[in-house]
Amino acid sequence: MSTILIIEQVLNGLQFGVMLFLMAAGLTLIFGVMGLINLAHGSLYMTGAFAAAVTAAATGSFLMGLAAALAAAALAGALVELLVIRRLHDKDHLDQVLATFALILIFSEGTRWLYGSFPLYLDIPAALSGPVTLPGGIQYPLYRLTLIGIGIGVALALWGLIARTRLGIRIRAGENDREMIAALGVDISRLYTLVFALGAALAGLAGALVGAIQSVQVGMGEPVLILAFVVIVIGGIGSIKGAFVGALLVGLTDTLGGIFLPELFKLVMEPARATSLGASLASMAIYVLMAAVLIWRPTGLYGARV
Amino acid sequence: MMNFTKRALAALALAGTVASPAIAEGVKVGMITTLSGGGAGLGIDVRDGFMLAVEQSGRSDIEVVIEDDQRKPDIAVQLADKMIQSEKVDVLTGIIWSNLAMAVVPSATAQGKFYLSPNAGPSALAGAGCHQNYFNVAWQNDNLHEAAGAYANSAGYANSFILAPNYPAGQDALTGYKRFYTGALAGELYTTLGQTDYAAEIAQIRASGADSVFFFLPGGMGISFLKQYADSGVGLPVVGPAFSFDQGILQAVGDAALGVRNTSQWSKDIDNPTNAAFVASFQEKYGRLPSLYASQGFDTANLLISALDKAAVTDADAFRAALKAADFASTRGDFAFGPNHHPIQDIYVREVVREGDVLTNKIVGIALENHADAYAAECKM
C-alpha cells in the first residue's frame, strides 16, 4: 500500500465529504431553523441534476446547466415550502415525515413522467475532464479537485452568510426563538421560505455537480439523503460547522474503510473471505462511526446541549 | 415455405378452436415487472418487447395483466398471490431481479403455474431448485460473466482486476468470470450495492498493476463507474457483461463507453430476419432502439405463442413439452433449452460504437458457442 494510493484515497474521501456537506448543510439549516424534517431533500438534489442535464444538453454549456440547477432547485424548494411545508410547522415530526415522504413519490413520478425512466446524459465539461498530476506524481481527476474547491468555497460562503450578515442573524435567531423574532417584526414566514429555498439550492448544486460523474436518474437522491442524515446526526442538528466536520468524517470513513478493512482482514484470513467480510463491514463503517459519536456526545459533535 | 407454415399453423389453430374449448379460452398471463424506481428502464423494455410480440401475433386469446413490483420482493409476492388467486392467471413472467425471482418463482411453480423468466436467472433455480414448470428465456445469471472470462483469455489479458457489488448476483458474477478466466487476479473487490462513487476503487485499480478490468455493476452503478473510470485516466481495457453497456443506459454513460468490449447473447446486429424485423418494428413503435431486455421480452412472448400454437395451457404436460421444444424464431438465432430449462445459446462479444449521434453495440466475435450453464447437472426434474 503506497503513500500515493493513501493520499489519493484521502482526496477521494475529502471530495465525497464536501459533496455530502452540500446536501447536509441544507438539511441541517432547515431542521435547525424551522424544526422540520424534510425527507424530500433528496428529491431537490435530483431536481438539480435533471435541470442541469436537460439545460446542458440544450445549450451545450455546463455552466448554464449549473445555473439552471440552482434556479430549478431553489424554485422547487420555495414552492414546496409555500404549498406543503407551511402547513406542517405546528404538526409533530411524524406528520412531517409522512408528508415529505409523499413528496418524494410525487417528485419521482413527476420526473419520470417528464423525462422517462432512462438515465439522462450529463458530462464533465471538457475543460475539467481528465486527470492532473499533483506534486509527488499523484494522478488525480481535475474535476474532483474542482469539486473539493467548490465545496470548501460554499462552506466558507455559508459560514460568512450565517455569521456576518443580517439574514444570518435572523436565521440564528430563528433557530433559538421563533416567537421572539416574530415579535420583533421579522417576517418569519418569508424567512422560512428563504431558508428552504437556500437549502434546496445547495442540494440542487450538489445534484448537478455530482450528476456529471454519476448517473442522472430517478431515485438518485435517496441513498445520498440517508448519508446526509447520518452527517447531521454526527455533526449535531442545526449546526453548519457540525455538518461540515461530520460530512468530512463520513466521507473519509466511507472511502478509507472500503480500502483498508479488506486489506486488514487479508492479514488473518484467505483473500476471498477477507474481501467479502471487509466489504460488508466497510459498508457499515459510517454507522459504527455514528454510534460511537453518539455514545460520546449524544447531541452530536456541535449539537446544542439539551 | 414460410407462408405455408403460417397458413398451416393458422389452420391448426382454427381447428383447435373448434375442437377444443380449452384453446378458445386462451391464456391469461400475469406480468410482474419493475416499472418504477431505480430499475424501471429494464422492466419497461421487457414489457414493451413482450407486448410487441403479442401484438404482432395478432392473437386475441392472450390476455396480459401487468403489475409493477417496484423492485421490492414483498410487493412481488403480494402481486403473485393476487394474480394466482383472484386473477387466475395460467402463466407468470416479467421479473427482472434475482432476489424477487427467488421470492416468487418457487411458490408459483409449486401451485402448478408456469413461469417464463425474461431476465432473472439465479443459480438456485437452475440447479437443485429447478422445476419442470420454470423456463428461463434469458440466461442463467453466470453466463455472460463466464463469456467475459473466456473473452479475456482470448484477448490475452493475464492480470485482471475484478469488482462487483456485494450481493448474491455480484458474487455469482465474479465466480462466473473466474470459472473461465485463466490468468492471475490483480485484485478482487466487492462494492456496496447502490454505490455511486467509485473513486476509491479506481485508485486501487490504478495502484494494482492490472492489465484489464472486469466489472459487473448493473444500472446506475455502471454508469457512475464508467464515467469516473474514463475521467481518471487509468485507461486499462475494460470487459463486462452487456448489462452496463446496454441501449437504455449507453447515452447516459456517453463517450466513456466507446470501444469497450462486452458480452451478450443478443445484439441488434445479429443477422437473421426475425431480429431485423424485431429491431425495425420496435424502433417504429416505441421510437427508440431495443435493448437486450426488450429482446428477451420479445423472445419470451414468442416462446409462449409457439407453445400455444401446439397445446392448450390447461393440458399442462403437452404445454410443457411445447415450451421445452422452444419451436420459435428467436431474435438471437440459435436457441434451445437445456435439461434444466435454461438456454443453450451463443454468447457474443460486442463493442460499443457510435452510429450517427447514437451510441450502440456491434458484434465483433463469439465468446462462447452453444453455451449451457454450470448447474444443469444438479437439476433433477
Side-chain angles (χ1 to χ4, degrees):
Chain A
M1 185 124 322
S2 66
T3 357
I4 289 185
L5 180 63
I6 294 172
I7 295 173
E8 188 175 349
Q9 299 294 16
V10 170
L11 284 174
N12 286 334
L14 278 179
Q15 183 264 314
F16 184 36
V18 296
M19 286 300 110
L20 273 180
F21 166 72
L22 292 185
M23 277 295 280
L27 206 56
T28 204
L29 209 56
I30 290 163
F31 196 95
V33 177
M34 304 165 65
L36 186 122
I37 295 179
N38 178 25
L39 289 187
H41 204 64
S43 303
L44 299 166
Y45 171 88
M46 176 180 75
T47 304
F50 271 87
V54 171
T55 312
T59 62
S61 155
F62 186 75
L63 277 180
M64 293 289 281
L66 271 192
L70 283 169
L75 184 70
L79 281 177
V80 161
E81 204 278 336
L82 288 170
L83 297 175
V84 182
I85 304 293
R86 186 150 287 194
R87 294 157 217 282
L88 297 170
H89 285 147
D90 303 329
K91 302 279 170 42
D92 66 21
H93 285 158
L94 186 62
D95 289 341
Q96 298 170 354
V97 164
L98 271 177
T100 51
F101 185 74
L103 282 175
I104 294 183
L105 301 180
I106 292 167
F107 266 99
S108 292
E109 287 315 305
T111 311
R112 187 189 315 291
W113 180 70
L114 278 173
Y115 302 112
S117 286
F118 298 96
L120 293 192
Y121 178 62
L122 174 64
D123 221 348
I124 296 173
L128 295 176
S129 67
V132 285
T133 309
L134 301 177
I138 300 163
Q139 292 244 307
Y140 198 72
L142 177 58
Y143 185 74
R144 284 183 190 269
L145 214 54
T146 314
L147 292 192
I148 297 178
I150 293 176
I152 292 175
V154 170
L156 286 174
L158 207 56
W159 171 79
L161 177 81
I162 306 260
R164 297 288 161 88
T165 64
R166 181 172 283 272
L167 177 66
I169 294 170
R170 288 181 176 174
I171 288 175
R172 278 180 290 147
E175 263 178 65
N176 288 325
D177 197 331
R178 202 185 294 187
E179 280 82 28
M180 185 55 83
I181 70 154
L184 288 172
V186 173
D187 186 348
I188 191 92
S189 49
R190 224 177 78 201
L191 179 69
Y192 280 0
T193 311
L194 211 60
V195 168
F196 207 91
L198 176 66
L202 288 175
L205 176 68
L209 290 174
V210 170
I213 43 174
Q214 297 178 3
S215 55
V216 177
Q217 61 177 349
V218 175
M220 64 187 281
E222 273 77 73
V224 199
L225 179 77
I226 295 168
L227 290 179
F229 269 112
V230 172
V231 165
I232 67 167
V233 168
I234 289 177
I237 291 160
S239 163
I240 294 285
K241 192 170 158 196
F244 189 71
V245 174
L248 291 190
L249 269 179
V250 168
L252 287 168
T253 308
D254 190 61
T255 307
L256 298 179
I259 315 296
F260 295 120
L261 282 176
E263 291 298 319
L264 212 61
F265 285 113
K266 270 183 202 164
L267 299 176
V268 290
M269 58 179 77
E270 46 152 339
R273 272 194 63 207
T275 40
S276 176
L277 185 64
S280 306
L281 279 178
S283 47
M284 284 186 246
I286 55 166
Y287 303 101
V288 175
L289 171 76
M290 178 170 78
V293 168
L294 289 184
I295 290 169
W296 178 45
R297 292 180 83 111
T299 56
L301 294 176
Y302 297 92
R305 284 146 300 279
V306 189
Chain B
M1 182 63 203
M2 197 65 195
N3 251 334
F4 170 76
T5 321
K6 254 192 196 156
R7 231 178 289 152
L9 280 180
L12 207 68
L14 206 66
T17 325
V18 179
S20 134
I23 289 185
E25 282 164 18
V27 63
K28 194 161 182 183
V29 180
M31 177 182 286
I32 301 170
T33 195
T34 307
L35 301 172
S36 65
L42 285 63
I44 286 170
D45 269 6
V46 161
R47 177 196 66 191
D48 289 354
F50 190 96
M51 295 315 289
L52 181 67
V54 170
E55 189 187 299
Q56 286 177 357
S57 76
R59 298 180 71 121
S60 54
D61 58 347
I62 302 175
E63 188 189 344
V64 188
V65 190
I66 303 171
E67 296 274 9
D68 174 17
D69 59 35
Q70 302 166 36
R71 203 175 172 168
K72 296 188 179 113
D74 50 330
I75 292 183
V77 169
Q78 280 173 24
L79 288 172
D81 285 345
K82 190 187 91 176
M83 284 184 170
I84 292 170
Q85 281 154 23
S86 43
E87 304 263 9
K88 309 268 184 236
V89 301
D90 310 295
V91 176
L92 284 151
T93 185
I95 292 180
I96 301 293
W97 310 96
S98 291
N99 52 338
L100 273 64
M102 290 306 298
V104 166
V105 172
S107 113
T109 49
Q111 294 175 66
K113 303 298 172 189
F114 284 93
Y115 191 91
L116 308 179
S117 177
N119 197 66
S123 52
L125 297 179
C130 67
H131 191 280
Q132 55 176 359
N133 282 359
Y134 170 74
F135 289 82
N136 189 308
V137 197
W139 21 253
Q140 194 280 314
N141 275 358
D142 303 7
N143 286 165
L144 301 194
H145 314 297
E146 292 169 340
Y151 165 73
N153 296 333
S154 69
Y157 302 146
N159 198 21
S160 285
F161 194 104
I162 63 177
L163 68 157
N166 194 23
Y167 82 120
Q171 284 145 9
D172 285 355
L174 297 193
T175 310
Y177 184 78
K178 289 189 280 185
R179 191 176 287 137
F180 277 72
Y181 170 68
T182 52
L185 289 178
E188 180 174 355
L189 265 188
Y190 286 110
T191 61
T192 310
L193 189 63
Q195 182 173 329
T196 48
D197 199 324
Y198 292 92
E201 286 74 13
I202 290 167
Q204 279 177 288
I205 293 171
R206 199 200 300 271
S208 70
D211 67 355
S212 54
V213 177
F214 166 79
F215 75 94
F216 164 65
L217 294 165
M221 292 183 275
I223 301 176
S224 301
F225 176 80
L226 272 173
K227 287 172 86 168
Q228 294 164 26
Y229 182 80
D231 194 46
S232 72
V234 170
L236 298 171
V238 169
V239 261
F243 313 118
S244 296
F245 307 92
D246 207 47
Q247 208 60 52
I249 66 169
L250 266 183
Q251 307 316 311
V253 178
D255 289 347
L258 271 180
V260 171
R261 300 287 171 93
N262 63 94
T263 49
S264 177
Q265 85 288 3
W266 179 83
S267 181
K268 83 177 191 341
D269 55 344
I270 291 178
D271 192 12
N272 68 56
T274 311
N275 197 39
F278 161 66
V279 173
S281 56
F282 189 92
Q283 208 171 357
E284 188 187 342
K285 183 158 165 67
Y286 301 108
R288 63 178 194 273
L289 284 172
S291 67
L292 177 77
Y293 309 104
S295 81
Q296 290 164 188
F298 189 80
D299 280 354
T300 304
N302 278 325
L303 169 72
L304 175 74
I305 292 161
S306 76
L308 282 175
D309 285 338
K310 290 186 185 168
V313 73
T314 42
D315 183 356
D317 288 331
F319 190 73
R320 188 181 308 116
L323 284 172
K324 177 135 180 106
D327 195 5
F328 69 106
S330 165
T331 55
R332 305 163 223 188
D334 292 342
F335 178 96
F337 282 120
N340 58 348
H341 296 174
H342 280 63
I344 297 176
Q345 60 191 345
D346 293 345
I347 300 177
Y348 301 93
V349 182
R350 311 186 299 184
E351 182 177 321
V352 180
V353 294
R354 183 180 280 290
E355 281 178 9
D357 55 354
V358 180
L359 289 172
T360 187
N361 285 284
K362 188 183 82 179
I363 291 181
V364 292
I366 291 189
L368 291 170
E369 259 176 277
N370 282 326
H371 185 56
D373 61 272
Y375 304 96
E378 293 163 34
C379 169
K380 309 267 181 288
M381 66 168 92

